[in-house]
Amino acid sequence: MSSSIIFVIDPPQLIAEAVPLVISLRQYMPDAHVIAYCPDKKEQLIPPMVREIFTKYRIELRYFDATSRFEPNYRQGNKILAAAEPRETKYTLFLDTDIVAWKRFPLREVGIADTVLAAPEGMRSWPAGNGDSWEKAYGHFAMDVPTSRVRLVKTGGQSEPYFNGGVLAFPNVLPNRSESFGELWLQTAQDLDSSSAIMKTRPWLDQVSFPICIARAKLRWTALPIEWNLSLSRPYNRDPLPSDLAERAERAVARIDSIDAYFLHYHKPKFFWHTKYEGYLDRLISDNTAFENYRTFARLLKP
């Protein structure tokens, strides 16, 4: 196989979310190589039921050392640590765990030599302060900010290369470098993290370091279309919503319903409600486990 699909669990977190992800992946990609990565010190915290489901759906469990890799602890760092682990395939497709596959997707399209494919961010969230800038971040590695721009998904604005982090595809082996792409990403993130006196990169460290890693690796990048990472999040704080938020929510639902996605990045189960995808999370669980819906299943596994 030329590509691996990977995601992260962090017991007791990201356990319930992992199950609909793996069920949906196997439903549409029965032969894909899928790896779940877990911090090695949390191996014993994986519930037996989840282990059984992983075995049933042929999900390989691998472990990584997360001890003192980011100080203080940085939760999003686990995706970088997983990406840095060695794999036998040429390419990696990383998925956030709060994602499900909606239909069969062209995995071969993410395996392009010397090219990274990534879902653009929805809106500009970094630089977050007056002391932050892409010039400083790239300058930390003696590089200029790329002139290429990416179109932000929700605002439509133009930005320096800036990606969501939920769906990322990259070659594992880099030309003319001893490190893998994941290892270089980890080095880049750790180096930026140590420069926190210069600029604030947390909690966006994974997103800030990723495009800089692409530039350091001298790779090309391609923005994935929205079908690869359809975000279901929208204004949904209280009911009824104020009129201005209600109108925004209606527009967001109309936009979501107009897209036939490969992957749904739902963030929280409530964001399925009132969209054409409503009920999908429950069906994945009720059709493939002994539980009648996702809420019942997740309640059993949540700490």
Side-chain angles (χ1 to χ4, degrees):
M1 297 181 183
S2 62
S3 297
S4 297
I5 302 172
I6 72 171
F7 64 93
V8 171
I9 59 174
D10 188 17
Q13 307 299 325
L14 302 179
I15 290 293
E17 295 90 339
V19 172
L21 171 59
V22 303
I23 292 172
S24 66
L25 287 174
R26 279 292 171 248
Q27 184 167 308
Y28 297 110
M29 301 297 289
D31 299 320
H33 182 220
V34 183
I35 306 171
Y37 282 98
C38 176
D40 55 8
K41 290 192 174 181
K42 296 190 174 184
E43 179 178 356
Q44 300 306 315
L45 297 179
I46 303 174
M49 179 176 62
V50 172
R51 288 184 181 275
E52 291 173 6
I53 291 172
F54 280 11
T55 299
K56 175 182 177 181
Y57 289 97
R58 294 175 290 110
I59 307 302
E60 184 179 356
L61 260 169
R62 294 188 185 182
Y63 303 93
F64 60 87
D65 178 14
T67 307
S68 302
R69 307 291 288 277
F70 289 96
E71 291 291 347
N73 181 59
Y74 174 57
R75 180 172 55 86
Q76 292 92 330
N78 282 346
K79 75 168 64 174
I80 309 175
L81 294 172
E85 288 294 298
R87 280 174 292 281
E88 301 74 19
T89 49
K90 291 182 178 179
Y91 302 97
T92 292
L93 174 63
F94 171 85
L95 300 175
D96 269 354
T97 316
D98 58 345
I99 280 177
V100 288
W102 170 251
K103 65 178 182 178
R104 185 173 179 85
F105 52 95
L107 186 57
R108 286 180 298 179
E109 288 188 6
V110 301
I112 303 174
D114 303 330
T115 303
V116 172
L117 297 94
E121 183 54 282
M123 61 187 66
R124 187 188 298 272
S125 53
W126 194 90
N130 294 333
D132 310 330
S133 72
W134 287 107
E135 287 76 14
K136 278 188 179 180
Y138 280 91
H140 187 72
F141 299 95
M143 295 189 301
D144 294 326
V145 179
T147 57
S148 54
R149 293 292 180 267
V150 66
R151 184 175 180 271
L152 300 174
V153 174
K154 290 190 176 181
T155 66
Q158 297 292 312
S159 169
E160 296 82 356
Y162 188 42
F163 304 102
N164 174 262
V167 180
L168 307 169
F170 48 86
N172 292 322
V173 178
L174 295 178
N176 305 316
R177 294 193 77 111
S178 59
E179 314 100 318
S180 69
F181 180 88
E183 288 171 328
L184 184 61
W185 185 13
L186 176 58
Q187 292 173 16
T188 304
Q190 289 173 326
D191 203 341
L192 279 173
D193 202 30
S194 67
S195 72
S196 58
I198 304 172
M199 57 190 152
K200 181 181 178 182
T201 54
R202 292 192 183 204
W204 310 275
L205 178 61
D206 58 321
Q207 293 176 272
V208 176
S209 58
F210 187 76
I212 295 174
C213 178
I214 296 173
R216 294 185 73 195
K218 296 181 170 56
L219 298 180
R220 299 181 293 272
W221 61 265
T222 297
L224 287 166
I226 195 171
E227 288 82 3
W228 283 86
N229 187 39
L230 178 60
S231 174
L232 302 188
S233 65
R234 58 194 188 275
Y236 212 114
N237 295 326
R238 55 192 182 277
D239 188 19
L241 287 170
S243 58
D244 58 331
L245 288 183
E247 290 175 5
R248 282 174 53 196
E250 287 181 12
R251 291 196 298 270
V253 168
R255 175 174 166 275
I256 288 167
D257 287 351
S258 71
I259 297 167
D260 190 25
Y262 295 128
F263 293 110
L264 307 175
H265 199 162
Y266 58 92
H267 304 283
K268 295 180 180 180
K270 69 178 183 179
F271 289 125
F272 279 96
W273 300 346
H274 310 308
T275 74
K276 72 175 184 180
Y277 302 108
E278 183 172 350
Y280 181 57
L281 203 62
D282 288 335
R283 290 195 300 273
L284 287 171
I285 294 300
S286 63
D287 292 351
N288 297 281
T289 75
F291 296 87
E292 62 181 18
N293 55 47
Y294 178 76
R295 176 180 291 183
T296 304
F297 173 78
R299 187 182 296 130
L300 180 69
L301 296 175
K302 290 292 185 183

